[in-house]
Amino acid sequence: MSLAFFAVIAAISIAAAIGVISSRQPVHSALFLLTNFATLAVLYITLDAQFLAATQVIIYAGGIVILILFVIMLLGSEDLPADESRPWTAWAGIVLGIIMLGGIATGTMGAFDSVEIPTTELADGTIVSQLEGGVPKAVGMELFTKYLLPFEMTAILILVALLGALLLGRRPEGESPLDNEQLAETSGD
Amino acid sequence: MVPTGAYLMVSAIIFSIGAVGVLTRRSALIIFMCVELMLNSVNLTLIALSRQWGNFNGQIFVFMIMAVAAAEVAVGLAILIAHMRHSKTTNIDEINLLKW
């Protein structure tokens, strides 16, 4: 039963990933990416990582995809050209991808079949995972005791990234938004 | 319970699809999305192995990867917008000013 559910969600995730790389319009790619992130969040819940599933939806689906859609809106969503510089580029990429997938698969196929997933037994005999379902309390206990330094450094990293993005996005000195050709045309008539 | 190898296989497939996307597509935005695909596949691998070994190391690492990926997307898209201001193209074949 859980294997059938996993198979359905994994199939949707892989189909969405194929949709990301094969769409003609960038907006379609962004929406396929959103589907992939949502299905991965479902897979995280089945893997005893509930806090990370919520974080995945908040940061990836609710932040990064929105950022990408904003950039598509700013840059103008032109249809990406279908002509390749060389006609065999797509086929070479697919062949290389299959070779890489074969290499990874030979290493990971059935790798952990003989290793048991550790579980603990509660007082009343129920068997639970040692990860306690990945609830925020359990992750927080680990994050704020053993991994406190990386957590604080991540905060500094985000501050630096914020300042960097702010600086890179500024207009050069002396240039006003009305210098943009499109705005000048629309305000002319 | 679904075996860990199944999750690793799904992660390998998504990673390969992302890599093919980075190699094949020529728009910088699509390449960004394919890099995010690869990062998410590695997240799936780490969480599956965290459950396999029964400790939180993989999940904490995924937390750090998510923070770094968010910062990277913000800065990368800012670079893309700054480049588009004077170039008007996202085709990576034409972003070659540093080419020798």
Side-chain angles (χ1 to χ4, degrees):
Chain A
M1 171 61 195
S2 59
L3 193 59
F5 178 74
F6 164 78
V8 168
I9 300 293
I12 297 176
S13 181
I14 294 173
I18 294 178
V20 169
I21 73 168
S22 64
S23 288
R24 283 293 142 221
Q25 298 193 9
V27 178
H28 294 175
S29 284
L31 293 179
F32 276 123
L33 193 68
L34 182 66
T35 308
N36 190 56
F37 290 162
T39 52
L40 279 182
V42 172
L43 286 180
Y44 292 174
I45 294 182
T46 66
L47 279 170
D48 290 333
Q50 300 170 14
F51 170 68
L52 281 175
T55 310
Q56 165 95 357
V57 173
I58 293 174
I59 291 183
Y60 274 111
I64 289 181
V65 172
I66 303 293
L67 263 183
I68 291 178
L69 284 174
F70 266 113
V71 169
I72 292 176
M73 174 189 77
L74 283 176
L75 299 187
S77 150
E78 75 279 4
D79 278 14
L80 303 171
D83 53 334
E84 300 290 337
S85 50
R86 292 172 293 270
W88 45 266
T89 304
W91 292 110
I94 292 175
V95 166
L96 286 175
I98 292 178
I99 292 177
M100 182 169 75
L101 179 61
I104 300 178
T106 54
T108 62
M109 186 80 75
F112 291 99
D113 281 347
S114 58
V115 183
E116 278 191 16
I117 297 177
T119 56
T120 57
E121 195 162 337
L122 290 182
D124 53 355
T126 59
I127 299 181
V128 297
S129 155
Q130 279 188 356
L131 296 176
E132 301 171 32
V135 292
K137 173 183 175 181
V139 176
M141 289 294 290
E142 194 85 7
L143 186 62
F144 288 110
T145 56
K146 191 172 162 191
Y147 294 97
L148 185 59
L149 182 61
F151 178 76
E152 300 297 336
M153 291 174 65
T154 304
I156 297 178
L157 170 81
I158 292 178
L159 174 68
V160 170
L162 176 70
L163 291 175
L166 202 64
L167 183 65
L168 283 168
R170 283 184 61 184
R171 294 183 184 279
E173 288 287 324
E175 188 181 303
S176 79
L178 288 181
D179 286 348
N180 195 345
E181 305 168 359
Q182 295 175 342
L183 278 179
E185 285 174 4
T186 55
S187 63
D189 57 343
Chain B
M1 195 174 282
V2 183
T4 308
Y7 287 104
L8 295 185
M9 201 57 211
V10 170
S11 168
I13 292 175
I14 297 180
F15 186 87
S16 305
I17 293 174
V20 168
V22 169
L23 289 174
T24 316
R25 300 301 296 258
R26 289 183 309 159
S27 168
L29 268 177
I30 307 293
I31 293 179
F32 264 121
M33 296 188 215
C34 295
V35 169
E36 290 306 312
L37 266 184
M38 291 198 276
L39 280 172
N40 274 280
S41 77
V42 172
N43 284 356
L44 182 63
T45 298
L46 279 168
I47 292 179
L49 291 174
S50 167
R51 181 186 76 149
Q52 173 72 45
W53 301 120
N55 52 21
F56 278 105
N57 297 335
Q59 296 197 6
I60 300 294
F61 201 22
V62 168
F63 187 78
M64 299 300 157
I65 290 179
M66 283 185 186
V68 169
E72 160 216 333
V73 167
V75 174
L77 290 178
I79 291 177
L80 186 64
I81 291 181
H83 177 267
M84 279 285 293
R85 286 228 179 90
H86 70 83
S87 165
K88 303 288 185 298
T89 177
T90 58
N91 191 351
I92 59 168
D93 286 339
E94 299 169 16
I95 306 178
N96 55 2
L97 284 178
L98 284 178
K99 197 171 173 185
W100 55 277

